[in-house]
Amino acid sequence: MTRRLVVLPDRAAVETAVASGVLDIIVDATFARGRADVVVTGGTVGIGSLAAIARDPRAKSIAWNLVHLWWGDERFVPVGDADRNEGQAATALIEQIEIPTSNIHTFPADDGQGLNAARDIFRAHLRDELGNHPRFDLVLNGIGPDGHVASLFPGLPHGDKGDLVIAVDNSPKPPPHRLSLTFEALNGGRHVWVVAAGEDKADAISRLMSDSPEDVTPATALHGTEETVVFADSAAASLVQP
Protein backbone atom coordinates (compact mmCIF):
# COMPACT_ATOMS: atom_id res chain seq x y z
CA MET A 1 0.00 0.00 0.00
CA THR A 2 1.26 3.47 -0.85
CA ARG A 3 2.68 5.54 1.98
CA ARG A 4 1.31 9.09 1.98
CA LEU A 5 3.18 12.13 3.32
CA VAL A 6 1.28 15.03 4.89
CA VAL A 7 3.50 18.08 5.49
CA LEU A 8 2.38 20.75 7.97
CA PRO A 9 4.04 24.03 8.96
CA ASP A 10 5.18 23.17 12.47
CA ARG A 11 4.89 20.74 15.37
CA ALA A 12 1.71 22.33 16.73
CA ALA A 13 0.03 21.94 13.35
CA VAL A 14 1.06 18.27 13.20
CA GLU A 15 -0.38 17.64 16.66
CA THR A 16 -3.64 19.40 15.84
CA ALA A 17 -4.08 17.54 12.55
CA VAL A 18 -3.30 14.19 14.14
CA ALA A 19 -5.71 14.85 17.01
CA SER A 20 -8.52 15.72 14.62
CA GLY A 21 -7.84 12.61 12.57
CA VAL A 22 -7.79 10.39 15.65
CA LEU A 23 -11.21 11.66 16.68
CA ASP A 24 -12.57 11.09 13.16
CA ILE A 25 -11.40 7.47 13.25
CA ILE A 26 -12.80 6.89 16.74
CA VAL A 27 -16.21 8.21 15.68
CA ASP A 28 -16.23 6.07 12.53
CA ALA A 29 -15.07 2.91 14.36
CA THR A 30 -17.51 3.19 17.23
CA PHE A 31 -20.36 3.79 14.79
CA ALA A 32 -19.37 0.90 12.52
CA ARG A 33 -18.25 -1.69 15.08
CA GLY A 34 -19.25 -0.41 18.52
CA ARG A 35 -15.63 -0.23 19.60
CA ALA A 36 -12.42 1.63 18.71
CA ASP A 37 -8.96 0.22 19.45
CA VAL A 38 -6.25 2.87 19.25
CA VAL A 39 -2.53 2.34 19.74
CA VAL A 40 -0.89 5.51 21.06
CA THR A 41 2.75 6.48 21.23
CA GLY A 42 5.05 8.44 23.48
CA GLY A 43 7.58 11.05 22.43
CA THR A 44 7.14 14.79 22.10
CA VAL A 45 4.76 14.73 19.14
CA GLY A 46 2.90 11.64 20.32
CA ILE A 47 2.16 13.09 23.75
CA GLY A 48 1.49 16.51 22.22
CA SER A 49 -1.09 14.91 19.95
CA LEU A 50 -2.83 13.32 22.94
CA ALA A 51 -2.95 16.72 24.65
CA ALA A 52 -4.42 18.18 21.45
CA ILE A 53 -7.15 15.52 21.54
CA ALA A 54 -8.03 16.58 25.08
CA ARG A 55 -8.27 20.22 23.95
CA ASP A 56 -10.46 19.47 20.94
CA PRO A 57 -14.11 20.38 21.71
CA ARG A 58 -15.26 17.16 20.05
CA ALA A 59 -13.53 15.10 22.75
CA LYS A 60 -16.41 15.86 25.11
CA SER A 61 -18.90 14.12 22.82
CA ILE A 62 -16.88 10.93 22.26
CA ALA A 63 -18.28 7.71 23.77
CA TRP A 64 -15.02 6.96 25.57
CA ASN A 65 -16.55 3.84 27.13
CA LEU A 66 -16.31 2.33 23.63
CA VAL A 67 -12.64 3.32 23.15
CA HIS A 68 -9.73 1.07 24.09
CA LEU A 69 -6.21 2.49 24.36
CA TRP A 70 -3.06 0.48 23.77
CA TRP A 71 0.64 1.39 23.53
CA GLY A 72 3.12 0.47 20.82
CA ASP A 73 5.83 -0.02 23.41
CA GLU A 74 6.70 0.73 27.00
CA ARG A 75 9.80 1.13 29.12
CA PHE A 76 10.07 -1.74 31.61
CA VAL A 77 10.50 0.30 34.76
CA PRO A 78 8.48 0.46 38.01
CA VAL A 79 5.01 1.98 38.22
CA GLY A 80 5.22 5.75 38.59
CA ASP A 81 8.62 6.02 36.91
CA ALA A 82 8.76 9.17 34.78
CA ASP A 83 10.08 7.13 31.85
CA ARG A 84 6.81 5.24 31.42
CA ASN A 85 4.75 6.38 28.43
CA GLU A 86 1.53 5.61 30.28
CA GLY A 87 2.17 8.31 32.89
CA GLN A 88 2.76 10.97 30.27
CA ALA A 89 -0.35 9.84 28.37
CA ALA A 90 -2.40 9.98 31.57
CA THR A 91 -1.45 13.60 32.16
CA ALA A 92 -1.99 14.59 28.52
CA LEU A 93 -5.28 12.82 27.85
CA ILE A 94 -6.53 10.01 30.05
CA GLU A 95 -7.12 12.14 33.12
CA GLN A 96 -9.06 14.62 30.97
CA ILE A 97 -11.64 12.15 29.64
CA GLU A 98 -14.12 9.68 31.09
CA ILE A 99 -12.70 6.35 29.98
CA PRO A 100 -13.06 3.15 32.02
CA THR A 101 -9.80 1.91 33.52
CA SER A 102 -10.56 -1.51 32.01
CA ASN A 103 -10.25 0.11 28.57
CA ILE A 104 -6.67 1.21 29.20
CA HIS A 105 -4.37 -1.64 28.21
CA THR A 106 -0.94 -0.79 29.59
CA PHE A 107 2.10 -3.00 29.41
CA PRO A 108 3.11 -4.46 32.79
CA ALA A 109 5.48 -2.37 34.89
CA ASP A 110 8.53 -3.85 36.55
CA ASP A 111 7.39 -5.24 39.89
CA GLY A 112 10.04 -7.93 40.10
CA GLN A 113 8.37 -10.50 37.83
CA GLY A 114 11.05 -10.21 35.15
CA LEU A 115 10.99 -8.89 31.59
CA ASN A 116 10.11 -12.16 29.85
CA ALA A 117 7.30 -12.94 32.29
CA ALA A 118 5.88 -9.46 31.71
CA ARG A 119 6.01 -10.07 27.95
CA ASP A 120 4.11 -13.34 28.35
CA ILE A 121 1.47 -11.70 30.57
CA PHE A 122 0.80 -8.96 28.05
CA ARG A 123 0.91 -11.31 25.08
CA ALA A 124 -1.85 -13.39 26.69
CA HIS A 125 -3.87 -10.26 27.50
CA LEU A 126 -3.65 -8.98 23.93
CA ARG A 127 -4.79 -12.33 22.55
CA ASP A 128 -7.63 -12.55 25.06
CA GLU A 129 -8.87 -9.10 23.98
CA LEU A 130 -8.26 -9.12 20.23
CA GLY A 131 -7.34 -12.67 19.24
CA ASN A 132 -4.30 -14.01 17.44
CA HIS A 133 -4.55 -11.41 14.68
CA PRO A 134 -5.30 -8.05 16.36
CA ARG A 135 -7.06 -5.47 14.24
CA PHE A 136 -6.51 -2.01 15.64
CA ASP A 137 -8.47 0.89 14.21
CA LEU A 138 -5.47 3.23 14.43
CA VAL A 139 -1.81 2.76 15.26
CA LEU A 140 0.16 5.93 16.07
CA ASN A 141 3.95 5.74 15.84
CA GLY A 142 6.72 8.17 16.60
CA ILE A 143 10.01 7.70 14.79
CA GLY A 144 13.54 8.00 16.11
CA PRO A 145 16.42 9.69 14.27
CA ASP A 146 17.72 6.16 13.63
CA GLY A 147 14.42 5.16 12.01
CA HIS A 148 13.13 3.01 14.86
CA VAL A 149 9.46 2.81 15.78
CA ALA A 150 7.99 1.44 19.01
CA SER A 151 11.03 -0.37 20.46
CA LEU A 152 11.97 -1.98 17.15
CA PHE A 153 15.52 -0.75 16.56
CA PRO A 154 17.94 -1.17 13.64
CA GLY A 155 20.13 -4.21 14.08
CA LEU A 156 18.00 -5.83 16.80
CA PRO A 157 15.47 -8.67 16.45
CA HIS A 158 11.93 -7.61 15.61
CA GLY A 159 10.27 -10.89 16.59
CA ASP A 160 9.60 -14.17 14.81
CA LYS A 161 6.55 -14.94 12.67
CA GLY A 162 3.52 -15.13 14.91
CA ASP A 163 5.05 -12.94 17.64
CA LEU A 164 2.83 -10.06 18.70
CA VAL A 165 4.89 -8.82 21.66
CA ILE A 166 8.63 -8.94 22.26
CA ALA A 167 10.91 -8.23 25.18
CA VAL A 168 13.86 -5.94 24.45
CA ASP A 169 16.72 -6.20 26.94
CA ASN A 170 19.39 -4.24 25.10
CA SER A 171 17.74 -1.12 23.73
CA PRO A 172 20.34 1.33 22.41
CA LYS A 173 18.12 4.10 23.76
CA PRO A 174 17.77 4.08 27.55
CA PRO A 175 16.24 2.53 29.51
CA PRO A 176 17.52 -0.77 28.07
CA HIS A 177 14.60 -2.98 29.10
CA ARG A 178 11.36 -2.54 27.13
CA LEU A 179 8.25 -4.30 25.89
CA SER A 180 7.07 -3.72 22.35
CA LEU A 181 4.45 -4.73 19.86
CA THR A 182 5.97 -6.31 16.77
CA PHE A 183 5.40 -5.28 13.18
CA GLU A 184 2.99 -8.19 12.88
CA ALA A 185 0.85 -6.57 15.57
CA LEU A 186 1.35 -2.94 14.50
CA ASN A 187 0.50 -3.74 10.90
CA GLY A 188 -2.85 -5.06 12.05
CA GLY A 189 -3.89 -1.42 12.18
CA ARG A 190 -6.46 -0.28 9.66
CA HIS A 191 -4.83 3.15 9.77
CA VAL A 192 -1.09 3.24 10.54
CA TRP A 193 0.37 6.70 11.06
CA VAL A 194 3.89 7.99 11.72
CA VAL A 195 4.17 11.41 13.39
CA ALA A 196 7.33 13.53 13.40
CA ALA A 197 8.59 17.07 13.87
CA GLY A 198 11.98 18.74 13.93
CA GLU A 199 15.19 18.75 11.93
CA ASP A 200 16.56 15.80 13.90
CA LYS A 201 13.92 13.59 12.24
CA ALA A 202 14.59 14.81 8.70
CA ASP A 203 17.01 12.04 7.71
CA ALA A 204 14.77 9.32 9.13
CA ILE A 205 11.70 10.68 7.32
CA SER A 206 13.66 10.94 4.08
CA ARG A 207 14.80 7.32 4.41
CA LEU A 208 11.27 6.20 5.28
CA MET A 209 9.76 7.91 2.25
CA SER A 210 12.43 6.44 -0.04
CA ASP A 211 11.83 2.86 1.23
CA SER A 212 15.16 2.40 2.93
CA PRO A 213 15.71 -1.26 3.88
CA GLU A 214 13.98 -2.36 7.10
CA ASP A 215 17.26 -3.37 8.75
CA VAL A 216 18.49 0.21 8.25
CA THR A 217 15.19 2.05 8.82
CA PRO A 218 12.72 -0.21 10.66
CA ALA A 219 9.85 2.25 10.13
CA THR A 220 9.66 1.20 6.47
CA ALA A 221 8.12 -2.09 7.66
CA LEU A 222 4.96 -0.28 8.80
CA HIS A 223 1.92 -0.77 6.59
CA GLY A 224 -1.72 -0.22 7.53
CA THR A 225 -4.39 -2.45 6.06
CA GLU A 226 -6.28 0.61 4.75
CA GLU A 227 -3.76 3.44 4.79
CA THR A 228 -0.25 4.37 5.85
CA VAL A 229 0.30 8.08 6.49
CA VAL A 230 3.31 10.11 7.62
CA PHE A 231 2.52 13.42 9.33
CA ALA A 232 5.61 15.64 9.43
CA ASP A 233 6.33 19.32 9.93
CA SER A 234 8.31 21.20 7.30
CA ALA A 235 11.58 20.67 9.16
CA ALA A 236 11.13 16.90 9.43
CA ALA A 237 10.12 16.69 5.76
CA SER A 238 12.90 18.98 4.51
CA LEU A 239 15.05 16.21 2.97
CA VAL A 240 12.26 14.33 1.22
CA GLN A 241 12.77 14.40 -2.52
CA PRO A 242 9.77 15.68 -4.53
Side-chain angles (χ1 to χ4, degrees):
M1 182 171 290
T2 303
R3 186 184 299 113
R4 180 164 59 93
L5 176 64
V6 176
V7 181
L8 295 140
D10 53 31
R11 190 183 87 192
V14 170
E15 294 168 355
T16 299
V18 169
S20 180
V22 170
L23 291 172
D24 287 343
I25 288 171
I26 288 174
V27 169
D28 289 347
T30 54
F31 179 78
R33 292 178 288 279
R35 171 170 171 150
D37 286 276
V38 177
V39 178
V40 298
T41 184
T44 302
V45 181
I47 298 301
S49 297
L50 297 185
I53 292 172
R55 292 192 301 269
D56 192 305
R58 290 190 297 157
K60 293 181 173 59
S61 62
I62 293 292
W64 290 106
N65 60 306
L66 303 180
V67 179
H68 290 254
L69 297 180
W70 304 80
W71 276 257
D73 73 326
E74 185 58 277
R75 290 80 177 268
F76 189 61
V77 291
V79 170
D81 191 296
D83 275 338
R84 280 184 70 80
N85 291 325
E86 66 165 300
Q88 299 170 39
T91 301
L93 175 63
I94 295 168
E95 294 171 358
Q96 319 301 321
I97 59 177
E98 294 185 6
I99 184 170
T101 56
S102 59
N103 290 16
I104 302 169
H105 304 277
T106 57
F107 284 100
D110 182 2
D111 64 4
Q113 80 276 47
L115 181 62
N116 289 338
R119 173 202 60 203
D120 294 344
I121 290 167
F122 191 78
R123 180 184 287 161
H125 173 69
L126 177 59
R127 286 193 164 121
D128 285 346
E129 281 284 326
L130 297 179
N132 291 326
H133 304 285
R135 289 295 176 260
F136 300 106
D137 293 289
L138 171 64
V139 177
L140 289 175
N141 302 271
I143 184 170
D146 62 354
H148 84 268
V149 292
S151 283
L152 305 171
F153 293 93
L156 295 184
H158 297 161
D160 297 324
K161 184 174 176 58
D163 282 345
L164 299 176
V165 184
I166 60 169
V168 178
D169 62 7
N170 57 346
S171 165
K173 181 180 178 181
H177 297 159
R178 295 157 175 254
L179 296 166
S180 181
L181 298 184
T182 63
F183 285 116
E184 190 161 336
L186 296 170
N187 288 343
R190 293 178 173 87
H191 305 268
V192 172
W193 294 355
V194 176
V195 299
E199 291 181 6
D200 63 323
K201 303 298 177 68
D203 183 61
I205 293 298
S206 174
R207 287 186 280 123
L208 171 61
M209 295 307 298
S210 62
D211 284 320
S212 169
E214 178 188 338
D215 58 346
V216 177
T217 309
T220 59
L222 287 172
H223 298 285
T225 63
E226 295 183 11
E227 69 167 2
T228 310
V229 184
V230 179
F231 291 87
D233 72 352
S234 57
S238 60
L239 298 182
V240 175
Q241 296 298 315

